[in-house]
Amino acid sequence: MMSDTLSLEVSELTSGWESRVVEFIRQSLDRGGRVVLSSETPTLTPQEFAEHLQISRSTVMRRIGEGAIAASRRGNRYRIPKSEVERFRALYVRELAASFAEDF
């Protein structure tokens, strides 16, 4: 079974993208194929998330368990939406600032 893929990013949704999609669909159907539309949320592994924030993987795993980091499971692995990086960074900085303020 032959599979063609047309993948578009938001940055590619400029003038004329609709005609590319319609042409792709038309060609696929003309060849007897079927067309499936899907969307994906970019995700990170806990290790990748930790590297982005320069914290340990164990901290990430602990925070997932506490519910402070939104994550989903795929099999026995966690995946964290990329959007969580900035949200958690802001939370983490506030927590650190509060911790340091208590020391004074």
Side-chain angles (χ1 to χ4, degrees):
M1 178 177 172
M2 190 169 129
S3 177
D4 292 325
T5 302
L6 174 65
S7 179
L8 294 173
E9 299 287 330
V10 172
S11 61
E12 297 176 272
L13 298 182
T14 57
S15 178
W17 70 269
E18 297 97 336
S19 61
R20 286 178 49 210
V21 171
V22 169
E23 183 59 27
F24 176 82
I25 292 170
R26 183 173 287 123
Q27 288 175 1
S28 295
L29 294 175
D30 286 347
R31 288 191 309 267
R34 67 184 179 119
V35 177
V36 177
L37 297 176
S38 67
S39 66
E40 295 178 355
T41 300
T43 60
L44 301 169
T45 64
Q47 182 63 43
E48 291 167 334
F49 190 86
E51 290 169 2
H52 273 289
L53 294 171
Q54 297 181 339
I55 58 178
S56 71
R57 182 182 178 283
S58 61
T59 295
V60 172
M61 296 305 292
R62 185 177 71 254
R63 291 310 198 89
I64 289 172
E66 296 168 354
I69 297 174
S72 60
R73 289 193 74 146
R74 293 188 189 153
N76 63 351
R77 305 281 189 231
Y78 283 103
R79 293 294 178 263
I80 306 165
K82 269 189 160 180
S83 59
E84 275 294 284
V85 171
E86 289 307 315
R87 190 199 65 77
F88 183 73
R89 184 187 323 260
L91 172 69
Y92 197 63
V93 167
R94 283 193 305 271
E95 288 176 356
L96 287 174
S99 177
F100 288 134
E102 291 172 2
D103 290 342
F104 291 102

